[in-house]
Amino acid sequence: MASGSSDTDGTDRGIDASDGNANDRPIEEYPLPPGPDGYPIVGNAFQVVRDPFGFYDVVSTHGDVVQYSIVGNTFTALLHPDYVERVLVSEHERFERYLFADLGLDIGAEGLVMSDGEQWRRQRGVMQPVFTTDRVQSYGETMATYADRATKRWDDGDVIVANKEFSRLTLRILAEALFDLEVDPTSDDEAVVRAARAINERADARRLSTFLPGWVPTLADRRFERTMDDYRCRVEELIEHRRAVGADGDDLLSILVRAGGSGESALSEAEISDNLVAFLFAGHETSSVALTYTFSLLAQCDDVVDELRAELESVVGDDRPGAEHARDLEYTDAVITEAMRRYPPVYMLFRRALEDVSIGGYRIPEGTILTLPQFRLHRDERFYDAPEEFRPERWIDGSKRDRPEYAYFPFGGGPRHCIGMRFATLEMKLIVATVLRRFDLELLSDPDPEISATTTFGPAADVRIRLHRR
Ligand code: HEM
């Protein structure tokens, strides 16, 4: 399928990335985007809250640039990869990141996820070198060790709740990578574990209904704040300890403490602490959701599992899967890529227009919140044959070449793309390899699970898998 096809209503609205300025027409002369009817004041809020994913079926009937409103906020959905590219990459400076603060999630105002402008740029500069392919390899040993230990605890015939099991596993890996801490995710003793759990629960409770007015602090809010205060105290304690013993480790905390010294890029205490909140939020449930769906899909596709095992046999042989094999695990990579196409853990990105812009022949007024929904673009028939099918081959059979780049963006794009992308990819590859070498999978839950619209695209109900030792 070629890129640059016309919009769904058949009219060519100019997918050219430079549209709007190409013929020097003033932006004010462009019409506002079309969109579904809403109610006075609340706009489309009820439709969104009732069925956020189904609402986008309605949205997409209006074209690739579609406006709707929720309680006084104007949203515009962008449903074409070229528009996604403009917002995230080529014209990124015209848009700012939007949402997390509005969700009421305390995920570190001074950290990478929440900050903007110069503060964000400086921190990204400090942390980018920590997440290069080579540096991430050094976390491979931790990932492989924890994956190995988890699968050794499992027995023939065990039923695992995949979403919980992988959430615990990815938290163990992250705590080690961030803090050099060995945690027990099933215990309440460690403030890091309590914070990770609280962030997840909080994210869960903050559905899209957050946009509705009338939010008042509750008991749960205060409990959440106390947990986050404990976590910050714990992080400070760990920072002090690093300073005392000399921070020469490979964990992120040591690296941030070293960067905290002096000079232009120095990170303040608050920035170090808030980054560790941000990473706890961004770096574990996302990978867990991706793994849950990957295994759920694999359990339904014997031929894919056969192919994957053949690759493992030839690349890994009798060794323990490790970072040194990752580069050659091409089919494994395609499997994970395809799973994240079907079920993107982060299913929608949000940006706010900092000025009036025109996209696809429409005027997007300053202040408009743009939504870039992976869950729609990743399943768009214009870019994927049989989008509902799980076909890892589509990433290695050459058809990728005909697809616009931003028809697939599970890790976002442009300067604010996921800094943990290589970390997550290595982690997922090693976990998939370790599990599949030891077990056959039998899916006991719904093969096409209902999705919950929280901060990740997690399954609404537990995903149960029975393990059969090979
Ligand atoms: C499958 C797993 C993951 C997925 C799908 C994912 C997805 C994303 C996406 C889409 C963004 C961009 C958000 C936006 O542009 O609005 C992002 C940002 C981010 N991710 Fe990930 N992520 C994953 C794993 C991780 C891991 C393992 C870490 C840390 C070790 C991490 C840390 C971050 C951070 C810190 C940001 C903010 C970057 C910035 O604003 O400069 N992520 N992630």
Side-chain angles (χ1 to χ4, degrees):
M1 190 74 55
S3 66
S5 54
S6 58
D7 288 350
T8 45
D9 65 0
T11 54
D12 186 357
R13 299 199 185 104
I15 278 157
D16 169 12
S18 64
D19 82 287
N21 301 323
N23 54 10
D24 290 335
R25 192 149 63 110
I27 286 177
E28 308 83 71
E29 288 181 13
Y30 282 87
L32 291 170
D37 292 336
Y39 294 100
I41 303 172
V42 293
N44 305 98
F46 294 134
Q47 292 140 286
V48 174
V49 171
R50 199 181 312 123
D51 182 6
F53 301 122
F55 176 63
Y56 266 72
D57 290 339
V58 179
V59 164
S60 63
T61 60
H62 293 269
D64 281 341
V65 184
V66 184
Q67 182 174 300
Y68 59 95
S69 83
I70 301 181
V71 212
N73 287 312
T74 304
F75 288 78
T76 294
L78 299 182
L79 301 173
H80 193 283
D82 293 354
Y83 305 152
V84 172
E85 191 279 336
R86 279 182 59 189
V87 172
L88 293 183
V89 190
S90 49
E91 295 176 39
H92 68 89
E93 69 286 347
R94 305 175 84 184
F95 307 93
E96 68 177 359
R97 172 112 105 207
Y98 173 79
L99 190 73
F100 294 116
D102 304 76
L103 273 173
L105 274 171
D106 174 6
I107 47 172
E110 304 282 319
L112 201 57
V113 174
M114 300 268 283
S115 62
D116 241 314
E118 197 36 52
Q119 184 180 31
W120 167 81
R121 223 180 319 279
R122 182 171 46 82
Q123 301 195 45
R124 183 91 190 192
V126 170
M127 281 179 257
Q128 190 73 44
V130 180
F131 290 95
T132 58
T133 307
D134 285 349
R135 289 299 295 274
V136 162
Q137 298 287 97
S138 70
Y139 296 121
E141 181 56 30
T142 301
M143 294 166 180
T145 304
Y146 280 108
D148 192 53
R149 273 196 218 159
T151 51
K152 276 189 176 140
R153 276 198 304 273
W154 298 341
D155 221 334
D156 188 31
D158 277 359
V159 175
I160 57 162
V161 176
N163 42 310
K164 294 197 175 135
E165 198 68 40
F166 294 117
S167 177
R168 289 195 283 263
L169 177 54
T170 53
L171 179 57
R172 282 180 204 274
I173 293 172
L174 192 68
E176 185 88 41
L178 295 186
F179 304 110
D180 193 20
L181 265 190
E182 196 167 333
V183 300
D184 175 2
T186 60
S187 144
D188 258 354
D189 295 347
E190 173 54 70
V192 172
V193 172
R194 290 200 301 276
R197 202 176 299 146
I199 291 172
N200 285 349
E201 280 164 12
R202 181 83 167 178
D204 231 38
R206 300 292 177 137
R207 290 161 197 268
L208 291 174
S209 56
T210 307
F211 289 112
L212 296 175
W215 175 254
V216 284
T218 63
L219 206 61
D221 277 330
R222 286 196 285 279
R223 233 186 357 252
F224 178 74
E225 278 154 24
R226 270 201 306 275
T227 309
M228 295 315 287
D229 285 346
D230 286 354
Y231 175 67
R232 284 203 166 79
C233 287
R234 177 73 169 125
V235 169
E236 272 156 34
E237 187 183 300
L238 292 165
I239 294 174
E240 281 317 306
H241 180 257
R242 288 294 189 288
R243 291 216 168 104
V245 299
D248 58 356
D250 259 353
D251 58 296
L252 186 68
L253 178 61
S254 297
I255 291 161
L256 295 185
V257 167
R258 285 202 292 274
S262 54
E264 272 186 10
S265 63
L267 298 187
S268 70
E269 196 98 336
E271 286 174 337
I272 298 179
S273 169
D274 278 6
N275 271 303
L276 291 157
V277 177
F279 275 81
L280 199 60
F281 165 76
H284 112 90
E285 204 50 33
T286 38
S287 309
S288 164
V289 165
L291 285 162
T292 300
Y293 290 119
T294 302
F295 284 108
S296 158
L297 290 163
L298 283 173
Q300 301 170 56
C301 294
D302 290 346
D303 50 339
V304 175
V305 170
D306 289 346
E307 181 106 19
L308 226 159
R309 287 209 174 111
E311 177 174 88
L312 293 174
E313 187 66 31
S314 87
V315 175
V316 183
D318 292 332
D319 297 344
R320 187 178 80 171
E324 66 279 19
H325 304 117
R327 213 182 300 260
D328 297 323
L329 293 176
E330 278 174 32
Y331 190 73
T332 312
D333 195 74
V335 165
I336 295 164
T337 303
E338 178 69 350
M340 287 199 295
R341 181 189 68 78
R342 284 281 305 275
Y343 299 106
V346 175
Y347 57 93
M348 186 132 89
L349 300 186
F350 295 85
R351 293 292 187 270
R352 194 195 324 249
L354 292 168
E355 56 187 276
D356 286 3
V357 288
S358 71
I359 298 184
Y362 294 108
R363 176 158 53 94
I364 314 288
E366 176 188 345
T368 301
I369 302 158
L370 296 163
T371 66
L372 284 48
Q374 287 101 328
F375 77 96
R376 290 295 309 189
L377 277 120
H378 286 193
R379 294 194 190 199
D380 190 322
E381 286 180 343
R382 290 174 294 176
F383 313 115
Y384 296 98
D385 291 335
E388 296 308 316
E389 285 176 22
F390 179 57
R391 288 190 190 167
E393 301 71 43
R394 67 172 99 237
W395 299 102
I396 41 187
D397 63 5
S399 60
K400 193 171 124 183
R401 276 195 298 276
D402 302 329
R403 216 172 281 139
E405 191 176 352
Y406 281 85
Y408 184 75
F409 57 112
F411 293 108
R416 293 206 80 140
H417 75 270
C418 175
I419 200 168
M421 176 175 78
R422 294 185 185 85
F423 183 100
T425 306
L426 179 62
E427 172 181 52
M428 292 188 289
K429 275 187 186 177
L430 296 185
I431 293 173
V432 168
T434 308
V435 173
L436 275 207
R437 275 156 53 104
R438 295 206 171 123
F439 294 100
D440 286 324
L441 313 164
E442 181 192 350
L443 183 66
L444 304 179
S445 303
D446 187 347
D448 188 14
E450 199 191 315
I451 314 287
S452 77
T454 61
T455 47
T456 56
F457 205 59
D462 283 344
V463 173
R464 309 177 88 81
I465 295 177
R466 193 190 306 281
L467 302 166
H468 299 280
R469 193 179 290 287
R470 301 185 63 219

